[in-house]
Amino acid sequence: MELLFIALGGAVLGIAARYALPGRMTHGAVLVPAIGTAVASTVWVALTWLGLPWNEGWIWWVTLGVTALASVAADLALVRTRTAGDERMLHTLLRDGHPTGA
C-alpha cells in the first residue's frame, strides 16, 4: 500500500516539475510525471531492500527528495535536448529545403 502512495507522490512531483519549469511544450504531457513515478517506485524499493523501515520518515524524505531532483533534471534535459534538435532541423531545412540533408 505504501508503494502506491509513493508512486502517487512521484507522479505529483513530476507534474509539479512539468508545470513549474519552462519549455513544457517541447515534450509530452505524461513523460515527466511518468519519470517521477518510476524513480519514486525504484528508489522506494531499493531503500526497503537496503533495510530502511517503511514506517519511518527517512525513507519517505529520501525517496521524495531524489524523485524531485530527478524530475527537475529530466525536464531540463528534455527541454535542452529537444530545443537543440529543433534548431539543428531548422538549420537543415533552411539550408537544404528537406530534412534528410541529401
Side-chain angles (χ1 to χ4, degrees):
M1 185 63 130
E2 293 77 22
L3 185 60
L4 178 64
F5 287 123
I6 207 67
L8 179 62
V12 169
L13 288 172
I15 290 169
R18 173 175 165 64
Y19 288 104
L21 297 171
R24 66 178 165 261
M25 300 308 252
T26 60
H27 52 78
V30 182
L31 183 58
V32 177
I35 291 170
T37 304
V39 168
S41 300
T42 303
V43 170
W44 178 270
V45 169
L47 290 176
T48 56
W49 284 350
L50 290 174
L52 269 74
W54 61 267
N55 58 352
E56 290 186 7
W58 281 109
I59 193 170
W60 293 89
W61 287 109
V62 170
T63 301
L64 294 175
V66 169
T67 301
L69 292 174
S71 296
V72 168
D75 188 76
L76 293 174
L78 287 166
V79 169
R80 183 175 49 246
T81 303
R82 180 63 187 261
T83 303
D86 288 349
E87 287 292 322
R88 281 192 306 273
M89 180 62 70
L90 178 64
H91 289 296
T92 301
L93 288 171
L94 289 175
R95 184 184 66 231
D96 299 332
H98 48 83
T100 61

